[in-house]
């Protein structure tokens, strides 16, 4: 009887060890999957940063000086928009760029803090940049009408067409910027929530 009880107890221990090993392996797999999910979610912000610096910024640097040369505009608004956009690109990269390795470290607290900081600074950037863009556009329009040569009918016609297109572009650009802002803020919060969930799983219950 004692031998049978001893065998039963040994079998229970063996089964318990197997279950603990299985749970440990499942925890490792879930941890890895959650970290990969965080990397995937945040990759959209990193891709936009590349797009912003590699495509949007060169277009602005080339397009506005070309417009100024064609319509004989002053260089003040042109230099201002280039500097404003350049500052925005640098600010976005400094604040929002996070390497994939940051989601794979054992300690995710610094990454969560960076995401929270990015949320705050991005909100501040939106509050500052939108009024500046609107003020710049008013300055650009005033300079546009003051500088254009009305004696040349071709330039006048092109100017009105460009003005109409510019107004439409401004509205579309503002809508895009606001939607992008909300999407990126939502992504940051999703990753923060995932980090909190992962840290909660790793914290032993007291």
């Amino acid at each position: 009887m004692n031998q049978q009880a001893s065998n039963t107890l040994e079998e229970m221990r063996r089964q318990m060890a197997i279950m603990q090993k299985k749970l440990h392996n499942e925890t490792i797999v879930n941890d890895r999957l959650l970290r990969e999910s965080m990397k995937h979610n945040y990759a959209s912000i990193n891709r936009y940063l590349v797009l912003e610096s590699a495509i949007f910024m060169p277009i602005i640097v080339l397009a506005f000086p070309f417009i100024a040369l064609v319509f004989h505009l002053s260089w003040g608004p042109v230099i201002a928009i280039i500097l404003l956009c350049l500052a925005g690109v640098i600010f976005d990269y400094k604040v929002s760029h996070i390497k994939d390795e940051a989601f794979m470290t054992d300690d995710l607290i610094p990454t969560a803090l960076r995401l929270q900081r990015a949320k705050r600074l991005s909100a501040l950037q939106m509050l500052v940049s939108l009024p500046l863009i609107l003020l710049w556009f008013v300055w650009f329009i005033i300079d546009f009408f003051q500088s254009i040569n009305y004696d040349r009918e071709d330039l006048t016609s092109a100017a009105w067409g460009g003005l109409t297109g510019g107004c439409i572009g401004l509205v579309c650009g503002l809508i895009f910027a606001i939607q992008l802002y909300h999407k990126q803020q939502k992504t940051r919060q999703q990753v923060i929530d995932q980090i909190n969930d992962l840290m909660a799983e790793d914290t032993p219950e007291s």
Side-chain angles (χ1 to χ4, degrees):
M1 184 68 179
N2 290 336
Q3 182 65 32
Q4 184 179 2
S6 177
N7 291 338
T8 302
L9 182 60
E10 186 65 28
E11 179 63 20
M12 289 177 63
R13 288 175 177 172
R14 190 177 69 84
Q15 293 293 335
M16 183 64 69
I18 293 174
M19 289 180 61
Q20 288 178 342
K21 183 178 180 181
K22 184 178 179 181
L23 288 173
H24 179 69
N25 290 337
E26 288 180 352
T27 300
I28 293 176
V29 171
N30 289 337
D31 181 283
R32 187 176 303 162
L33 290 175
L34 193 55
R35 289 171 185 270
E36 290 295 334
S37 176
M38 287 188 285
K39 283 169 52 179
H40 175 75
N41 289 337
Y42 202 80
S44 61
I45 294 180
N46 285 333
R47 283 195 299 269
Y48 171 75
L49 295 175
V50 174
L51 188 68
E52 183 182 41
S53 59
I55 297 180
F56 293 161
M57 192 63 207
I59 290 176
I60 291 172
V61 170
L62 294 174
F64 280 95
F66 176 77
I67 293 173
L69 290 173
V70 170
F71 294 102
H72 306 288
L73 307 180
S74 62
W75 287 94
V78 174
I79 295 174
I81 191 60
I82 291 176
L83 292 178
L84 185 62
C85 291
L86 181 61
V89 170
I90 296 173
F91 181 88
D92 287 343
Y93 187 86
K94 291 288 187 181
V95 169
S96 297
H97 183 259
I98 298 179
K99 295 181 179 180
D100 290 345
E101 291 78 5
F103 299 107
M104 306 306 292
T105 59
D106 293 334
D107 186 7
L108 289 171
I109 293 178
T111 304
L113 293 176
R114 284 190 63 184
L115 288 166
Q116 291 172 351
R117 175 175 173 268
K119 282 191 66 181
R120 292 194 303 269
L121 292 179
S122 294
L124 179 62
Q125 181 191 28
M126 182 62 66
L127 289 175
V128 173
S129 62
L130 286 183
L132 286 178
I133 288 294
L134 292 175
L135 287 174
W136 171 85
F137 189 73
V138 172
W139 179 23
F140 180 79
I141 293 300
I142 293 173
D143 179 74
F144 191 87
F145 279 109
Q146 289 179 343
S147 302
I148 191 171
N149 184 2
Y150 291 96
D151 295 333
R152 292 188 56 182
E153 185 177 347
D154 56 337
L155 283 182
T156 304
S157 177
W160 280 107
L163 178 61
T164 303
C167 291
I168 296 174
L170 176 67
V171 173
C172 293
L174 291 176
I175 293 174
F176 172 78
I178 293 172
Q179 289 180 338
L180 179 67
Y181 164 76
H182 286 296
K183 181 180 178 180
Q184 290 185 347
Q185 292 291 72
K186 182 179 179 181
T187 297
R188 292 185 182 101
Q189 187 58 51
Q190 285 177 342
V191 177
I192 290 172
D193 292 340
Q194 287 179 310
I195 291 175
N196 291 336
D197 291 341
L198 189 60
M199 293 173 61
E201 291 177 3
D202 292 340
T203 302
E205 294 183 1
S206 56

